[in-house]
């Protein structure tokens, strides 16, 4: 029983684990460099510089 | 504090306090023949204290609707004060145990509660959870409101989170003194305290999500991602690692659901991710907000911060096994932990580099402003300790470093140099702003604190590096006949001078913190100076920092 569990985990990590991590990494890179996101990021980056005036209604 | 709540919220707060007191009463009565009893008394007293605080202001006038036009900062102030109180407690005990390691005879009484074994977890819990945790909760409440341009959704849950969290810390620390522990490092508190923390933590998580849901800013600023990762992952870690069966409802003792090597793996999966998500992710949230704010420059690269975020969240969860090198843990799990630890250096340095590149062009501010310098030093030590960590995770290196003071050097390079420095930076930024003062009471004392802190850190870390490597080498030196050249006591004697140096460095760090407390206290005492900005508007930068020595 113990051995089966261990081998199962190992097999899972070596196959699916690998693929889902690669897929995730690609997803993150695509999101980060997606041209359409550039403006939102730039706005988020600079808009914190002036946020003390209180909540926006 | 209570008068900023609506009347309905005050009544609910009172109800909650009574409920807590009743739980305490039950624990005290049912557990009277067990360590549970005294712990119940602590809970009971906390409930009564809370009820008194609420009752005294129960029929104060209700705050008007104009409150909704400003951020809700009262709980943040409480969190900052709590963090500084815990800083003193944690560092005082830390330095005391440091002197005990150098001079064991200093123990003032031959009683169990004064022993090293019970005081050491008070240091780690008090400083990580008391100091670090309160600072994290306070700054996260500050950052979530600012970056969302939204006020906290209500006036009760922030107080519940802060008060409940501090009750957890007090319960933990008072428990150690009488001998309560489940013997898992950084997760010593027993089952009842653990359940209480789950309730508090889930409220905290929901509070965060509710604030974000009210946000007026379309994109969620990256600092929030780090804070959210911290809250969510700590919840997961805490619940899984603390799965245990209590002996009975009236007993403080419980037994873990895991055993053997699985238990060890779960514990260090927890342990390292506590470092990753408690001592790193949340603190990166602080770094990504307060450093750009104080420097007056937006973060160098927003894209780098995103890549770094996902790198850190996905690599960190795999590295726990580097705490269990050369154990019964399967070899491939150890290799996995080692490999991911080395890869982890990349996202870690992305964050450190992003912070330092933000300062590029503002170095004159770093020179003149000790608050910003605290943050700069934090980023440098973050880079340093992650480099060291990745190195220590390599098996042959770990063979030398494990069980030695090298680990302690690594820990305190991270905690003193990175965590404490960024907290102090954030607090010196926050205190004048929240108490609406033009600047700290004494910018020169901020400068003094900075130099005490940096001197203390450097002395501490260098002493422990020397001691650790000396120990490691002595324990593996063989003589011609193939037996060990040094006895354990030989290595102990070799460590003695380093232990004195460490305790002295810690003392400097503690003095710096005390200076900080005094400065904060005096800042809150001085009358608010005439505001520079038009009414209702507080300037983002509390005013140009005054340069010490000029
Ligand atoms: C005044 C400053 C401090 C002093 C004098 C001090 C001293 C100590 C001492 C003597 C130990 C025990 C070492 C051993 O058992 O060999 C220790 C452990 C530890 N301290 Fe500190 N400390 C200080 C600040 C901090 C801070 C600010 C943090 C965290 C934010 C921290 C986190 C820890 C942790 C996590 C451990 C356990 C390390 C391990 O088990 O490997 N310390 N400290
Ligand atoms: C890339 C990042 C990091 C890696 C790969 C890493 C790796 C390691 C390794 C290999 C150990 C020694 C394990 C052993 O021999 O038992 C360790 C211990 C430790 N590290 Fe790190 N580290 C990193 C960053 C940090 C940071 C930033 C902090 C604190 C803010 C920190 C806090 C600790 C603590 C508290 C311990 C002691 C755990 C214990 O035994 O009680 N680490 N780390």
């Amino acid at each position: 029983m113990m051995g089966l569990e261990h081998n199962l985990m190992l097999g899972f990590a070596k196959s699916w684990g690998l693929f889902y991590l690669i897929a995730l990494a690609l997803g993150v890179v695509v999101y980060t460099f997606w041209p359409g996101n550039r403006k939102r990021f730039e706005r988020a980056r600079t808009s914190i510089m002036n946020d003390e005036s209180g909540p926006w209604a | 504090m209570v008068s900023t709540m609506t009347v309905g919220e005050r009544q609910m707060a009172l109800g909650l306090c009574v409920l807590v007191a009743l739980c305490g009463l039950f624990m005290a009565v049912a557990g009277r023949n067990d360590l549970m009893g005294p712990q119940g008394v602590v809970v009971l007293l906390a409930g009564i204290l809370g009820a008194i605080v609420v009752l005294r202001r129960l029929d104060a006038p209700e705050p008007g609707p104009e409150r909704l036009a400003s951020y809700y900062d009262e709980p943040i102030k409480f969190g900052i004060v709590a963090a500084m109180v815990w800083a003193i407690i944690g560092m005082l005990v830390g330095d005391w145990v440091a002197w005990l390691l150098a001079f064991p005879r200093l123990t003032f009484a031959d009683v169990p509660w004064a022993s090293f074994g019970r005081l050491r977890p008070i240091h780690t819990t008090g400083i990580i959870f008391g100091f670090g945790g309160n600072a994290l909760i306070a700054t996260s409440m500050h950052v979530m409101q600012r970056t969302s341009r939204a006020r906290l959704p209500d006036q009760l849950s922030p107080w519940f989170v802060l008060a409940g969290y501090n009750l957890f810390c007090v319960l933990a620390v008072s428990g150690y003194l009488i001998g309560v522990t489940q013997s898992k490092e950084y997760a010593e508190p027993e089952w009842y305290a653990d359940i209480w923390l789950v309730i508090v933590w889930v409220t905290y998580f929901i509070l965060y999500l509710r604030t974000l849901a009210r946000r007026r800013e379309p994109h969620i600023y990256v600092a929030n991602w780090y804070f959210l990762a911290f809250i969510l992952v700590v919840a997961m870690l805490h619940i899984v690692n603390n799965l245990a069966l209590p002996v009975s409802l009236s007993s403080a003792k419980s037994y873990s659901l895991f055993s053997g090597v699985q238990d060890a793996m779960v514990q260090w999966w927890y342990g390292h991710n506590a470092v990753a998500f408690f001592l790193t992710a949340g603190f990166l949230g602080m770094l990504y907000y307060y450093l750009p704010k104080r420097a007056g420059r937006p973060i160098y690269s927003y894209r780098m911060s995103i890549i770094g975020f996902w790198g850190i969240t996905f690599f960190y969860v795999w590295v726990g096994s580097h705490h269990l090198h050369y154990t019964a843990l399967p070899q491939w799990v150890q290799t996995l932990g080692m490999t991911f630890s080395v890869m982890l250096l990349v996202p870690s340095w992305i964050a450190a580099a992003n912070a330092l590149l933000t300062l590029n062009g503002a170095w004159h501010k770093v020179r003149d402003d000790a608050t910003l310098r605290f943050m700069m030093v934090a980023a440098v030590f973050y880079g340093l300790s992650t480099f060291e960590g990745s190195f220590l995770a390599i098996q042959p290196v770990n063979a030398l470093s494990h069980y030695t003071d090298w680990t302690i050097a690594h820990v305190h390079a991270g905690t003193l140099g990175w965590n404490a420095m960024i907290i102090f930076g954030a607090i010196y930024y926050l205190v004048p702003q929240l108490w609406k003062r033009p600047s700290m009471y004494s910018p020169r004392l901020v400068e003094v604190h900075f130099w005490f802190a940096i001197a203390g850190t450097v002395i501490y870390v260098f002493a422990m590096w020397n001691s650790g490597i000396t120990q490691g080498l002595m324990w593996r030196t063989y003589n011609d006949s193939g037996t060990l050249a040094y006895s354990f006591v030989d290595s102990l004697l070799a460590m003695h001078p380093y232990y004195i140096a460490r305790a002295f460095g810690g003392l400097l760090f503690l003095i710096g913190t005390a200076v900080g407390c005094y400065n904060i206290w005096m800042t809150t005492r001085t009358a608010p100076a005439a505001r520079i900005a038009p009414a209702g508007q507080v300037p983002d930068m509390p005013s140009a920092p005054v340069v010490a020595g000029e």
Side-chain angles (χ1 to χ4, degrees):
Chain A
M1 184 61 202
M2 206 41 236
L4 187 70
E5 263 178 41
H6 175 251
N7 284 332
L8 200 76
M9 285 290 291
L10 188 60
F12 198 71
K14 280 184 173 169
S15 54
W16 293 110
L18 182 70
F19 291 128
Y20 107 87
L21 279 176
I22 291 179
L24 253 161
L26 285 178
V28 169
V29 172
V30 168
Y31 170 74
T32 312
F33 289 97
W34 198 258
N37 281 339
R38 173 186 279 262
K39 253 176 65 197
R40 308 177 56 189
F41 293 165
E42 188 50 33
R43 183 192 148 91
R45 181 174 162 262
T46 46
S47 84
I48 65 155
M49 299 316 293
N50 209 339
D51 59 8
E52 271 315 319
S53 47
W56 289 338
Chain B
M1 149 185 212
V2 177
S3 43
T4 59
M5 296 185 195
T6 64
V7 173
E9 285 169 336
R10 288 175 211 165
Q11 288 161 349
M12 269 173 63
L14 187 62
L16 286 169
C17 292
V18 172
L19 215 62
V20 168
L22 286 178
C23 285
L25 189 66
F26 172 80
M27 285 167 70
V29 174
R32 63 194 174 281
N33 298 321
D34 186 88
L35 294 178
M36 175 74 103
Q39 292 271 276
V41 174
V42 172
V43 177
L44 178 63
L45 289 178
I48 293 176
L49 181 73
I52 292 176
V53 170
V54 178
L55 272 174
R56 286 185 48 200
R57 285 266 175 284
L58 193 60
D59 38 36
E62 175 143 329
E66 73 281 356
R67 72 173 192 278
L68 299 177
S70 58
Y71 299 124
Y72 189 41
D73 287 342
E74 292 296 308
I76 305 173
K77 294 183 185 174
F78 176 86
I80 289 176
V81 173
M84 290 310 284
V85 171
W86 280 108
I88 294 290
I89 299 174
M91 289 176 197
L92 202 64
V93 178
D95 203 41
W96 176 247
V97 296
W99 287 109
L100 277 186
L101 283 172
F103 304 102
R105 291 225 177 84
L106 279 182
T107 302
F108 41 86
D110 209 7
V111 286
W113 65 264
S115 63
F116 179 83
R118 288 195 184 174
L119 294 180
R120 189 187 193 275
I122 294 187
H123 165 59
T124 56
T125 301
I127 204 79
I128 299 177
F129 298 116
F131 172 52
N134 274 300
L136 282 165
I137 295 176
T139 53
S140 72
M141 286 177 180
H142 182 257
V143 171
M144 69 171 96
Q145 296 189 83
R146 266 59 181 183
T147 55
S148 307
R149 313 291 170 115
R151 183 183 159 94
L152 291 174
D154 68 287
Q155 284 85 221
L156 177 59
S157 49
W159 289 110
F160 176 76
V161 171
L162 276 162
Y165 183 76
N166 280 287
L167 172 59
F168 167 80
C169 295
V170 170
L171 211 53
V173 164
S174 60
Y176 307 155
L177 280 177
I178 56 174
V180 176
T181 175
Q182 60 177 4
S183 326
K184 289 188 165 211
E185 200 178 11
Y186 314 126
E188 291 91 348
E190 272 289 359
W191 61 276
Y192 47 90
D194 291 338
I195 293 176
W196 174 244
L197 185 61
V198 172
I199 298 172
V200 170
W201 210 255
V202 170
T203 313
Y204 180 28
F205 186 55
I206 295 174
L207 173 68
Y208 210 128
L209 293 184
R210 282 166 68 212
T211 311
L212 286 182
R214 297 157 55 91
R215 77 178 185 280
R216 288 281 180 269
E217 185 63 59
H219 179 80
I220 301 179
Y221 184 68
V222 69
N224 292 296
W225 306 16
Y226 283 98
F227 279 122
L228 273 176
F230 145 65
I231 302 171
L232 186 66
V233 179
V234 167
M236 272 162 47
L237 299 168
H238 173 73
I239 292 174
V240 174
N241 190 40
N242 288 302
L243 289 174
L245 206 61
V247 172
S248 77
L249 278 185
S250 57
S251 164
K253 184 84 204 116
S254 70
Y255 288 92
S256 172
L257 287 198
F258 308 101
S259 60
V261 73
Q262 279 95 345
D263 189 32
M265 186 63 248
V266 171
Q267 156 62 21
W268 283 109
W269 168 76
Y270 165 87
H272 203 82
N273 286 304
V275 168
F277 289 90
F278 209 98
L279 296 180
T280 298
F283 284 90
L284 285 173
M286 274 186 219
L287 186 73
Y288 274 120
Y289 182 80
Y290 294 106
L291 183 119
K293 288 292 280 192
R294 188 68 184 191
R297 302 163 62 87
I299 192 76
Y300 171 73
S301 162
Y302 199 77
R303 285 174 170 168
M304 259 165 86
S305 72
I306 299 177
I307 300 264
F309 173 80
W310 290 108
I312 282 184
T313 33
F314 280 97
F315 287 172
Y316 251 122
V317 285
W318 299 99
V319 305
S321 53
H322 67 216
H323 290 266
L324 298 168
H325 279 331
Y326 304 105
T327 63
L329 202 69
Q331 188 64 36
W332 70 270
V333 185
Q334 298 181 30
T335 312
L336 184 81
M338 172 173 89
T339 317
F340 270 87
S341 304
V342 175
M343 297 195 303
L344 192 54
L345 187 61
V346 176
S348 305
W349 274 27
I350 286 181
N354 210 353
L356 294 177
L357 287 170
T358 304
L359 295 176
N360 222 358
W363 291 108
H364 60 287
K365 290 190 189 166
V366 177
R367 186 196 61 203
D368 294 345
D369 177 12
T371 304
L372 187 59
R373 213 177 314 126
F374 267 114
M375 302 183 195
M376 186 277 286
V377 165
V380 170
F381 270 96
Y382 177 64
L384 201 98
S385 56
T386 49
F387 175 76
E388 183 182 33
S390 296
F391 188 59
L392 291 177
I394 301 168
Q395 273 182 323
V397 182
N398 198 259
L400 178 71
S401 73
H402 193 76
Y403 298 128
T404 73
D405 287 328
W406 193 349
T407 307
I408 305 298
H410 165 65
V411 169
H412 290 85
T415 55
L416 297 176
W418 154 233
N419 300 134
M421 296 287 184
I422 189 74
I423 292 180
F424 293 139
I427 286 185
Y428 284 130
Y429 169 87
L430 281 172
V431 166
Q433 189 192 77
L434 296 181
W435 272 271
K436 306 209 172 25
R437 304 290 187 270
S439 71
M440 288 298 294
Y441 164 72
S442 162
R444 185 167 298 201
L445 285 182
V446 180
E447 196 72 39
V448 170
H449 180 184
F450 175 81
W451 289 109
F452 268 103
I454 196 88
T457 306
V458 170
I459 294 176
Y460 191 124
V461 173
F462 271 91
M464 288 297 97
W465 273 335
N466 277 312
S467 154
I469 293 175
T470 309
Q471 278 177 310
L473 292 177
M474 286 176 88
W475 294 342
R476 57 162 60 183
T477 304
Y478 294 90
N479 56 26
D480 292 341
S481 52
T483 56
L484 285 173
Y486 301 101
S487 72
F488 183 76
V489 173
D490 291 335
S491 70
L492 204 62
L493 292 176
M495 278 155 11
H496 189 64
Y498 301 122
Y499 278 9
I500 296 174
R502 182 257 302 272
F504 176 68
L507 185 64
L508 294 186
F509 202 88
L510 172 64
I511 293 173
T513 308
V515 170
C517 286
Y518 172 75
N519 203 358
I520 293 170
W521 174 252
M522 293 307 288
T523 307
T524 65
R525 290 291 101 179
T526 47
R531 301 249 195 90
I532 316 151
Q537 260 199 330
V538 188
D540 277 16
M541 274 277 276
S543 80
V546 179
V547 183
E550 279 187 11

